[in-house]
Amino acid sequence: DTGVSQDPRHKITKRGQNVTFRCDPISEHNRLYWYRQTLGQGPEFLTYFQNEAQLEKSRLLSDRFSAERPKGSFSTLEIQRTEQGDSAMYLCASRRGATTNEKLFFGSGTQLSVL
Amino acid sequence: QQPVQSPQAVILREGEDAVINCSSSKALYSVHWYRQKHGEAPVFLMILLKGGEQKGHDKISASFNEKKQQSSLYLTASQLSYSGTYFCGTVFGNEKLTFGTGTRLTIIP
């Protein structure tokens, strides 16, 4: 069990650029979640996958955001035409099954700064 | 839909006790508790299932009152390592976890 890993840890970009983040979940976990967290706030749900299928996407998520999980392993989150309001910590989490009594394992996150 | 936590912040001396509350406006299926230290990922503490409670570890425990749609986290004889921001996470019937507003806990020697 190597844990959930995210890459990069930090990303600084200029407004209007595209960025992509990667998340590698724990290998036997078929549920993968993306959250966004701004300073002083709780993590905000963005989207989640069951294997390669994206089952839910937050209505707050703009069309500039897209996520994939090809082959049900790692996942990528892309933000196109970044805006300063996109600056946040992007957290990935995974768990083995669907039952609500299973805990989430979080990665260390990717801190995005849009200048 | 976001659960509301109270208090927003609390400062304790080492050895004192604290209670953190989490309230929801909707019926809950389960409640999760996580602790997050500055610059780090949230770390799981415990899950409480509908109609019951589960104790986590050390001197941290929790209760789940499904009638009142709320949960409370109890920290007994606090240690310096308990400092951080505590989040409850609620599951309303789908699979996603919705996190609360957070409670920042500071323990001073």
Side-chain angles (χ1 to χ4, degrees):
Chain A
D1 182 351
T2 56
V4 178
S5 62
Q6 292 187 244
D7 183 68
R9 287 294 310 273
H10 303 274
K11 179 71 177 179
I12 300 173
T13 191
K14 292 183 178 179
R15 190 176 51 185
Q17 298 294 306
N18 299 344
V19 294
T20 300
F21 311 140
R22 177 180 171 123
C23 170
D24 286 90
I26 294 171
S27 59
E28 66 268 25
H29 287 186
N30 59 40
R31 277 357 189 232
L32 186 148
Y33 301 78
W34 284 100
Y35 283 84
R36 175 173 61 191
Q37 186 176 28
T38 52
L39 198 63
Q41 302 297 314
E44 174 190 25
F45 170 80
L46 294 179
T47 187
Y48 87 92
F49 293 83
Q50 176 184 333
N51 299 314
E52 66 275 8
Q54 188 173 17
L55 296 187
E56 187 172 345
K57 190 174 172 180
S58 169
R59 283 175 285 177
L60 301 175
L61 208 57
S62 120
D63 291 342
R64 298 182 295 104
F65 287 72
S66 62
E68 292 183 337
R69 193 183 181 195
K71 303 177 184 176
S73 55
F74 70 92
S75 175
T76 57
L77 177 69
E78 181 184 15
I79 309 174
Q80 296 183 325
R81 304 180 304 281
T82 52
E83 301 173 356
Q84 288 186 324
D86 297 332
S87 295
M89 172 75 82
Y90 290 83
L91 293 164
C92 175
S94 71
R95 66 179 173 195
R96 182 181 295 114
T99 58
T100 57
N101 61 350
E102 286 198 34
K103 65 182 181 182
L104 287 178
F105 292 81
F106 280 90
S108 298
T110 294
Q111 181 67 53
L112 173 66
S113 299
V114 182
L115 305 178
Chain B
Q1 277 196 4
Q2 183 180 31
V4 176
Q5 291 182 230
S6 61
Q8 286 186 308
V10 60
I11 299 174
L12 297 177
R13 290 199 177 277
E14 203 172 0
E16 292 181 334
D17 302 340
V19 179
I20 298 172
N21 299 303
C22 172
S23 296
S24 169
S25 58
K26 295 176 63 174
L28 305 174
Y29 281 77
S30 65
V31 178
H32 298 219
W33 284 96
Y34 290 77
R35 177 172 61 211
Q36 186 176 31
K37 293 185 181 284
H38 183 70
E40 299 179 10
V43 173
F44 171 80
L45 294 176
M46 67 188 75
I47 292 174
L48 297 98
L49 305 178
K50 194 165 187 174
E53 70 173 51
Q54 291 186 14
K55 285 195 176 181
H57 52 85
D58 292 333
K59 298 175 181 175
I60 301 176
S61 62
S63 63
F64 180 13
N65 187 326
E66 54 185 290
K67 265 191 177 178
K68 292 185 178 179
Q69 295 172 179
Q70 64 182 205
S71 175
S72 296
L73 185 73
Y74 307 94
L75 299 102
T76 306
S78 57
Q79 306 168 18
L80 292 175
S81 62
Y82 288 1
S83 290
T85 302
Y86 289 77
F87 293 101
C88 64
T90 54
V91 181
F92 296 111
N94 56 16
E95 290 187 31
K96 74 181 187 191
L97 202 58
T98 300
F99 285 92
T101 49
T103 297
R104 176 180 286 182
L105 177 65
T106 303
I107 311 293
I108 56 177

